[in-house]
């Protein structure tokens, strides 16, 4: 029998509740949503093979409504023992580069659900997971599969199902003949039953006097029954799997294993395991955990690196961290050396400290004390390894968005750090780019070096006043001279995907190229050499039958305080200037900045291909609207001022500037503009309706509207409610429900999993608006999380939005005289 999932509607003026069946938007909107998805690609580490993965279409609401457990910040499907919401690939082809044919991989089941592709270090095999969902109560499973490049065939490698609760449930060993996998333990038995009758209340208590605030998390453990379920589904057995025959050897004992990674030399395994006590206020990332090194041959313990307590006393600042060792990993350019960071300021960025973090090394056989590698004045943000004498370490400070990259010599621990890059993370015009890496013989990422080891390569987005122009540079570390090897040129928008060493010893650059009229495809060129690149893929334009592309223009304008702004203007395909101003839909998402100049920097490109996602406002050009998409709304606080101190003023000023610019161009009817947003954009939408009369209607999806429900910070705000009560209150549109007279459509996923945007945010906001006599409609989409996915829900959402815009913006009823 076909299942029917009604959409819950709550309406005001007059107030009533009802369920309705799914509706369809106009055909032009429907067809744009359902246009064929563009394939994904995965390239072998040496650039020899491209795997082309056909992408799953939108799942049905029945598929989305599979059983789901919400435990410790995780969402898992008890039928598969893996994540409950996955975007799968459904087919696979191999293309030998540069000019081989695209050959379908044989041996896959008819309805394959592929995820997590991973190339072997020798680039001869692609391992991946294949999921069977199960039906009518039958169990599903997640299996480890492998595809061979030489034969274009795939096979199941391991008979035992994987435990993919934490993701990344397998990893190649450096010999390319072995994999490590986390599996469902043999003989696990049935899942623990929920308590039919509670044996007592769930109790939490504190009395230490030590402050231990926590941000607003979803899907936490609530009681002992949840703890038992979490342990049942999260417990896995680590096994060593042979590529030749799929035979598996257990390593160690079953446990709640979050990660398991082999050392580059294949002798050890670094295991991170969660253990009790658990928390009812933190997700699994904050649970107590032990970090061990095991012998890969036997699974026996080589060394316990750390046993860390529950991280329930970490300050709520964005760059606060737990005390003790953290961020353990294998040094990628050494046989078996563990590295990690440790806070020197108690983990509190408000504490004055000359040294924030230290980085330590511990080499096999892990017998002596760890060796200090570097002392950082900023919070540690990551390592990029290169050689015995070259590594890069990153640090950051949230308060002023400062970031630094240092160069160091791993063979000379404790030596002063040499600054390589230093600046603001928000100054995109001067971003030097990200160091390029290559996969070494062990399959690990290390710095790609040139000029006899004296140079590194950098790739970046290339932000500029004319828009993003991605680039590849060569930087000589001795002379500090930078040479530009390649830059994206109009009319293309081209992004570096990988750098390889070609057969002739020349470096080759793989890029993804697109134009405003051409869908993204992949190209290959010799780096630094002019001429046309070689096209590797020929993905079809999904909008060919609609004309192939959209009319897009990047607008540049300023708001009243002089901050430069941009927006993407889309117009109906047959629009003529003589048609005059149009009803308009504006979409935006505010971003916090600490500097006006950085806030006004241009991002994006006029040359990108517009792929209309489910969340896009661009659908409405098909219905005769002008669309202002991604209108920038920077919220700036310079010096000691915080951005949100003047949030509403900057919000309204930015929106007015966008409307004024569209009206100046003669395409926007300033009297018929709607505003929409998702998540923090929904919060923006409600505030604009509360604090201005600029709009005829608003559409707010999956937002938060009462900031007292996120008292330990939100978005870019790290102050607590008790530190900035006035800011929290002034920014909460819930407090101004009596001021909102503009019709507002609220949409929320029934199963929202985003921090802070619990469905109760929309429920209570709707109740407040209804109580104040507002014109409001509240739609709850069944089974949807923060990002919507099901075909039926998306089509209905678009119908709701289109109906709302037609009713209140496109042809609004004449005002009734008082």
């Amino acid at each position: 029998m076909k299942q029917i999932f009604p959409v819950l509607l709550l309406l005001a003026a007059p107030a009533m509740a009802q369920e309705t069946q799914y509706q369809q938007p106009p055909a032009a909107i429907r067809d744009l949503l359902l246009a064929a998805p563009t394939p994904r690609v995965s390239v072998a580490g040496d650039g020899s093979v491209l795997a082309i993965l056909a992408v799953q279409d939108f799942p049905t609401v029945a598929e989305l409504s599979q059983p789901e457990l919400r435990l410790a910040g995780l969402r898992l499907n008890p039928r598969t023992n893996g994540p409950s919401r996955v975007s799968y690939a459904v087919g696979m082809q191999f293309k030998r580069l540069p000019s081989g044919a695209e050959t379908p991989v044989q041996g896959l089941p008819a309805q394959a659900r592929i995820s997590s592709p991973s190339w072997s270090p020798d680039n001869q095999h692609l391992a991946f997971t294949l999921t069977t969902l199960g039906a009518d109560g039958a169990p599903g499973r997640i299996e480890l599969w492998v595809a061979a490049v030489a034969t274009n065939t795939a096979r199941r490698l391991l008979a035992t199902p994987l435990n993919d609760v934490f993701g990344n449930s397998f990893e190649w060993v450096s010999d390319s003949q072995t994999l490590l996998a986390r599996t469902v333990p043999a003989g696990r038995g049935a899942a623990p039953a929920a308590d039919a009758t509670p044996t007592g209340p769930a109790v939490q208590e504190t009395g230490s006097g030590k402050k231990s605030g926590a941000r607003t998390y979803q899907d936490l453990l609530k009681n002992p029954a949840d703890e038992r379920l979490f342990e049942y589904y999260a417990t896995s057995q680590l096994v060593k799997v042979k590529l030749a025959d799929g035979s598996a050897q257990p390593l160690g004992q079953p446990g709640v294993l979050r990660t398991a990674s082999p050392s580059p030399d294949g002798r050890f395994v670094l295991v991170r395991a969660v253990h009790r006590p658990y928390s009812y206020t933190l997700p699994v990332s904050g649970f107590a955990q032990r970090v061990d090194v095991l012998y890969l041959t036997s699974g026996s313990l080589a060394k316990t690196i750390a046993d860390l307590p529950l991280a329930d006393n970490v300050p709520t600042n964005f760059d606060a961290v737990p005390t003790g060792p953290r961020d353990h990993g294998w040094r990628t350019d050494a046989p078996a050396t563990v590295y990690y960071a440790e806070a020197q300021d108690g983990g509190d960025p408000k504490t004055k400290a000359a040294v924030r973090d230290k980085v330590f090394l511990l080499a096999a056989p892990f017998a002596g004390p760890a060796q200090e590698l570097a002392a950082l004045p900023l919070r540690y943000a990551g390592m990029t390894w290169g050689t015995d004498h070259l590594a890069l370490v990153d640090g950051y400070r949230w308060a002023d968005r400062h970031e630094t990259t240092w160069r160091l010599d791993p063979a000379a621990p404790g030596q002063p750090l040499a600054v390589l890059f230093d600046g603001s993370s928000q100054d995109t015009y001067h971003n030097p780019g990200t160091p390029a890496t290559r996969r070494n013989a062990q399959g690990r990422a290390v710095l790609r070096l040139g000029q006899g080891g004296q140079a590194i390569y950098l790739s970046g987005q290339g932000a500029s006043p004319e828009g993003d122009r991605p680039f590849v540079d060569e930087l000589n570390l001795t002379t500090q001279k930078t040479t530009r090897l390649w830059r994206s040129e109009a009319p293309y928008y081209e992004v570096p995907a990988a750098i390889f060493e070609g057969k002739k010893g020349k470096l080759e650059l793989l890029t993804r190229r697109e134009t405003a009229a051409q869908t993204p495809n992949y190209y290959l060129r010799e780096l630094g050499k002019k001429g046309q690149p070689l096209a590797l893929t020929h993905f079809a334009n999904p909008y060919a039958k609609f004309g192939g592309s959209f009319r897009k223009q990047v607008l540049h304008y300023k708001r009243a305080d002089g901050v430069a702004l941009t927006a993407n203007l889309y117009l109906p395909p047959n629009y003529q200037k003589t048609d005059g101003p149009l009803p308009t839909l504006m979409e935006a998402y505010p971003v916090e900045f600490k500097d006006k100049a950085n806030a006004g920097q241009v991002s994006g490109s006029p040359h990108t291909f517009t792929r209309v996602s489910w969340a896009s406002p661009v659908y409405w050009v098909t219905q005769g609207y002008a669309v202002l998409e991604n209108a920038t709304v920077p919220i700036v606080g310079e010096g000691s001022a915080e951005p949100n101190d003047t949030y509403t003023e900057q919000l309204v000023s930015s929106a007015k500037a966008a409307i004024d610019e569209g009206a100046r161009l003669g395409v926007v009817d300033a009297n018929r503009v709607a505003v929409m947003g998702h998540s923090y954009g929904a919060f923006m939408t409600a505030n604009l309706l509360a604090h201005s009369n600029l709009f005829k209607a608003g559409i707010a999806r999956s937002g938060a509207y009462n900031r007292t429900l996120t008292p330990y910070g939100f978005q870019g705000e790290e102050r607590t409610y008790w530190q900035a009560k006035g800011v929290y209150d002034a920014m909460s549109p819930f407090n101004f429900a009596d001021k909102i007279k503009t019709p507002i459509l609220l949409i929320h996923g029934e199963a929202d999993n985003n921090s802070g945007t619990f469905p109760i945010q929309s429920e209570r906001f709707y109740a407040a608006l209804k109580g104040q006599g507002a014109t409001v409609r509240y739609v709850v989409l069944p089974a949807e999380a923060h990002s919507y996915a099901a075909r039926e829900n998306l089509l209905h959402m678009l119908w709701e939005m289109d109906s709302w815009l037609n009713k209140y913006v496109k042809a609004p009823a004449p005002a009734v005289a008082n």
Side-chain angles (χ1 to χ4, degrees):
M1 175 180 289
K2 182 178 180 180
Q3 289 179 289
I4 297 177
F5 296 82
V7 179
L8 177 64
L9 302 178
L10 296 173
L11 305 99
M16 60 181 180
Q18 69 182 58
E19 289 185 337
T20 185
Q21 301 304 310
Y22 283 116
Q23 303 295 320
Q24 296 268 335
I29 292 179
R30 179 198 65 212
D31 292 346
L32 282 179
L33 175 73
L34 300 181
T38 300
R40 304 169 188 155
V41 303
S42 176
V43 63
D46 63 355
S48 61
V49 185
L50 195 67
I52 300 172
L53 304 170
V55 179
Q56 177 191 36
D57 205 347
F58 296 113
T60 66
V61 72
E63 291 173 316
L64 200 66
S65 300
Q66 287 261 321
E68 183 175 69
L69 296 176
R70 303 169 188 175
L71 302 167
L74 304 171
R75 292 198 167 183
L76 58 101
N77 185 336
R79 290 181 182 171
T80 65
N81 221 108
S84 56
R85 299 165 187 266
V86 181
S87 176
Y88 297 106
V90 294
M92 181 186 300
Q93 295 178 314
F94 283 152
K95 177 183 176 66
R96 289 163 180 78
L97 301 183
S99 302
E102 297 175 6
T103 307
V105 172
Q106 303 299 318
L108 293 169
Q111 294 182 326
R113 292 183 176 89
I114 299 165
S115 57
S116 305
S118 175
W119 286 97
S120 60
D122 66 4
N123 305 297
Q124 296 303 302
H125 291 86
L126 183 68
F128 55 93
T129 63
L130 195 144
T131 300
T132 302
L133 293 178
D136 299 325
R141 53 192 283 138
I142 300 175
E143 298 175 339
L144 178 59
W145 282 57
V146 64
V149 173
T151 60
N152 290 304
T153 57
R155 59 186 170 95
R156 188 179 73 175
L157 183 61
L158 184 63
T160 305
L162 297 175
N163 185 329
D164 203 33
V165 162
F166 296 117
N168 300 314
S169 54
F170 69 91
E171 188 170 337
W172 286 96
V173 179
S174 57
D175 64 3
S176 295
Q177 301 303 309
T178 313
L179 296 96
L180 291 181
R182 301 196 303 277
T183 63
V184 173
R188 178 174 65 173
D195 296 329
T197 302
T199 58
V203 177
Q204 301 180 63
E205 181 178 1
T206 183
S208 66
K210 187 173 183 179
K211 295 181 180 180
S212 56
R215 292 191 174 271
T216 310
Y217 298 110
Q218 303 273 41
D219 304 334
L220 302 177
L221 299 179
K222 299 180 179 64
N223 50 52
D226 278 356
E227 294 184 48
R228 293 193 295 272
L229 277 174
F230 168 71
E231 282 191 329
Y232 176 84
Y233 286 105
T235 296
S236 61
Q237 173 65 61
L238 182 64
V239 299
K240 181 170 59 174
V241 187
K242 289 298 182 184
L243 177 65
D245 58 9
S247 59
Q249 174 193 342
L251 298 177
Q253 297 299 311
V256 182
L257 310 180
R258 289 197 66 196
T259 61
S261 177
S263 60
D265 66 1
R267 292 191 297 148
F268 302 97
V269 189
L270 184 65
V271 176
R272 187 159 52 113
V274 167
H275 62 78
R276 290 177 181 270
Y278 302 145
S279 172
Y280 292 179
T281 60
L282 296 172
V284 66
S285 58
F287 288 5
Q289 58 182 304
R290 189 177 63 253
V291 182
D292 290 330
V293 174
L294 308 181
Y295 290 104
L296 192 129
T297 52
S298 64
S300 60
L301 179 67
K303 176 76 173 182
T304 293
I305 303 294
D307 196 344
L308 305 170
L310 192 69
D312 60 348
N313 288 303
V314 180
T316 56
N317 305 85
F318 288 126
D319 44 359
V321 295
T323 56
R326 69 181 197 279
D327 298 337
H328 297 79
W330 290 113
R331 180 174 162 179
T332 59
D333 64 335
T337 298
V338 173
Y339 72 96
Y340 60 87
E342 188 166 1
Q344 306 298 300
D345 58 1
D348 187 352
K350 298 297 185 183
T351 298
K352 291 184 178 180
V355 176
R356 288 278 166 214
D357 270 340
K358 289 185 177 180
V359 180
F360 294 90
L361 298 175
L362 185 60
F366 318 108
Q371 186 178 41
E372 180 184 321
L373 175 65
L376 309 182
L378 304 179
R379 185 68 71 214
Y380 168 79
M383 294 286 310
T384 308
W385 299 99
T387 68
D388 288 344
H389 295 284
L390 176 63
L392 305 180
V393 60
D394 300 319
Y396 75 100
R397 181 174 55 233
W398 170 261
D400 58 357
R401 312 313 194 259
H402 192 87
E403 63 182 8
T404 303
T405 297
W406 296 274
R407 176 188 176 184
L408 57 83
D409 182 352
Q415 292 294 314
L417 299 172
V419 173
L420 188 62
F421 307 125
D422 187 72
S424 169
S425 62
Q426 296 184 322
D427 183 7
T428 57
Y429 284 2
H430 299 96
N431 189 312
T434 301
T437 60
R438 63 177 180 86
R439 289 216 309 171
N440 61 16
Q442 292 73 40
R444 305 305 179 96
V446 295
L447 286 168
R448 179 171 288 283
L449 302 178
Q451 299 181 15
Q454 297 302 305
I456 63 173
Y457 298 91
L458 302 164
S459 64
Q461 73 182 57
S464 72
E466 60 192 282
D468 290 349
R469 295 184 61 191
F471 64 86
V472 174
D473 284 349
E474 184 179 53
L475 170 63
N476 185 292
L477 296 172
T478 302
T479 65
Q480 297 292 297
K481 179 183 178 182
T482 297
T483 302
R484 179 137 296 173
L485 301 179
W486 173 86
R487 189 184 191 191
S488 179
E489 299 286 349
Y492 302 105
Y493 176 71
E494 200 164 1
V495 181
I499 299 173
F500 305 109
E501 187 169 336
K503 294 179 179 180
K504 298 179 180 179
K506 302 290 187 178
L507 290 183
E508 295 181 339
L509 176 65
L510 177 71
T511 62
R512 190 188 72 242
R513 174 194 269 197
E514 60 196 274
T515 72
Q518 298 173 357
T519 195
N521 272 286
Y522 288 85
Y523 289 79
L524 191 66
R525 56 162 54 79
E526 184 178 312
L527 189 57
K529 183 177 180 180
K530 295 187 178 300
Q532 287 300 311
L534 175 67
L536 301 179
T537 63
H538 302 87
F539 302 141
N541 188 326
Y543 307 130
K545 69 177 183 178
F546 313 120
S549 62
F550 299 88
R551 293 178 59 180
K552 181 176 75 170
Q553 177 184 352
V554 179
L555 306 184
H556 298 262
Y557 52 98
K558 292 184 178 182
R559 69 186 187 195
D561 62 359
V563 173
L565 306 176
T566 62
N568 295 324
L569 171 66
Y570 291 88
L571 295 171
N574 298 318
Y575 176 78
Q576 301 291 328
K577 195 73 172 179
T578 54
D579 294 337
L582 299 173
T584 300
L585 176 60
M586 187 183 90
E587 177 267 340
Y589 192 96
V591 177
E592 298 89 346
F593 287 87
K594 289 296 294 177
D595 180 271
K596 285 186 176 180
N598 292 342
Q601 291 183 357
V602 176
S603 63
S605 168
H607 306 301
T608 55
F609 181 81
T610 299
R611 179 77 207 207
V612 186
S613 76
W614 66 267
S616 175
V618 177
Y619 294 101
W620 278 274
V621 297
T622 69
Q623 305 303 302
Y625 291 81
V627 172
L628 292 170
E629 184 251 0
N630 194 27
T632 55
V633 182
I635 308 298
V636 185
E638 296 188 309
S640 61
E642 290 296 327
N644 287 333
D645 291 346
T646 53
Y647 171 83
T648 55
E649 296 89 337
Q650 296 186 67
L651 191 72
V652 172
S653 180
S654 297
K656 184 177 186 300
I659 295 172
D660 288 348
E661 177 65 10
R664 184 188 70 81
L665 295 174
V667 296
V668 169
D669 183 344
N671 295 313
R672 291 189 295 164
V673 181
V675 61
M676 65 167 281
H678 190 89
S679 192
Y680 205 53
F683 174 70
M684 170 206 73
T685 295
N687 267 306
L688 283 170
L689 300 192
H691 299 289
S692 79
N693 295 311
L694 295 171
F695 300 99
K696 295 295 291 184
I699 300 171
R701 297 187 313 226
S702 296
Y705 309 103
N706 183 346
R707 283 303 167 195
T708 67
L709 297 179
T710 55
Y712 285 98
F714 58 91
Q715 205 66 14
E717 178 59 68
E718 65 174 358
R719 294 172 294 183
T720 71
Y721 172 71
W722 297 275
Q723 293 169 332
K725 282 187 177 181
V727 171
Y728 275 66
D729 290 340
M731 289 181 69
S732 295
F734 180 89
N735 294 341
F736 302 92
D738 60 329
K739 306 297 184 184
I740 297 178
K741 307 303 180 184
T742 303
I744 183 169
L745 172 63
L746 302 176
I747 302 175
H748 217 114
E750 177 188 40
D752 195 320
N753 60 337
N754 184 55
S755 176
T757 55
F758 293 85
I760 196 173
Q761 288 274 5
S762 288
E763 293 169 14
R764 294 293 85 205
F765 191 39
Y766 166 78
L769 292 167
K770 178 174 74 71
Q772 294 299 319
T775 300
V776 56
R777 181 177 175 94
Y778 175 34
V779 181
V780 180
L781 299 176
E784 293 292 357
H786 193 62
S787 179
Y788 310 157
R791 175 190 298 247
E792 298 94 329
N793 283 333
L794 295 175
L795 289 168
H796 185 89
M797 175 201 75
L798 294 169
W799 175 81
E800 290 279 1
M801 294 172 65
D802 188 63
S803 300
W804 199 254
L805 292 171
N806 286 340
K807 184 174 183 178
Y808 293 109
V809 180
K810 195 171 190 180
V816 178
N818 293 327

